[in-house]
Amino acid sequence: LYSVIDLLQVTSGQLQQHLKKVVKHATKHVYKCQLCSQKGFLCEVCNSPNPIYPFETDSTVRCDRCKAVFHAKCRTDNRPCPKCTRRDLRRSQFRMMEDTSPDFTFPV
């Protein structure tokens, strides 16, 4: 939510400078905080052990379907999302198990 003063600061560039400081502070916090730093993602394409975060918009992309995060260079349009692929496979295996399992009826 923005105030009238915030909107006036848009033209002077003050709002942009203020927001840059806020984002920089929050980013530093995530990287240094033991709890917040564990909220990162691991790229399932290259399997790098270094966590990546959705706010790293210059170097990461997010799957529109499952919201997993990948390095931008690892995830190309022609490569399917590994997490979605894995979830789809599990769903289809589960459906097959349901279809092949006998119907049990319990005596009354």
Side-chain angles (χ1 to χ4, degrees):
L1 197 59
Y2 294 101
S3 68
V4 174
I5 293 173
D6 291 334
L7 298 175
L8 292 173
Q9 290 177 340
V10 169
T11 56
S12 69
Q14 289 178 324
L15 182 62
Q16 181 182 13
Q17 294 304 315
H18 174 70
L19 291 176
K20 281 183 179 183
K21 288 178 187 175
V22 170
V23 169
K24 186 175 181 178
H25 174 75
T27 302
K28 273 185 173 180
H29 169 79
V30 170
Y31 290 135
K32 291 182 179 184
C33 174
Q34 284 185 357
L35 180 64
C36 295
S37 64
Q38 293 180 29
K39 302 287 185 183
F41 290 78
L42 297 176
C43 180
E44 291 187 45
V45 176
C46 70
N47 294 313
S48 170
N50 301 322
I52 54 178
Y53 302 92
F55 60 80
E56 296 172 336
T57 57
D58 292 339
S59 61
T60 63
V61 292
R62 191 164 211 168
C63 175
D64 293 330
R65 191 168 152 207
C66 72
K67 307 302 182 207
V69 178
F70 305 94
H71 294 111
K73 64 181 190 269
C74 295
R75 179 79 200 280
T76 58
D77 291 334
N78 59 354
R79 174 180 252 162
C81 169
K83 184 175 181 180
C84 288
T85 303
R86 188 173 60 251
R87 290 170 75 187
D88 291 343
L89 179 64
R90 283 191 188 135
R91 279 192 195 108
S92 66
Q93 289 173 340
F94 183 73
R95 282 190 204 113
M96 283 179 33
M97 285 176 44
E98 283 183 329
D99 293 343
T100 59
S101 65
D103 291 330
F104 290 104
T105 55
F106 293 99
V108 179

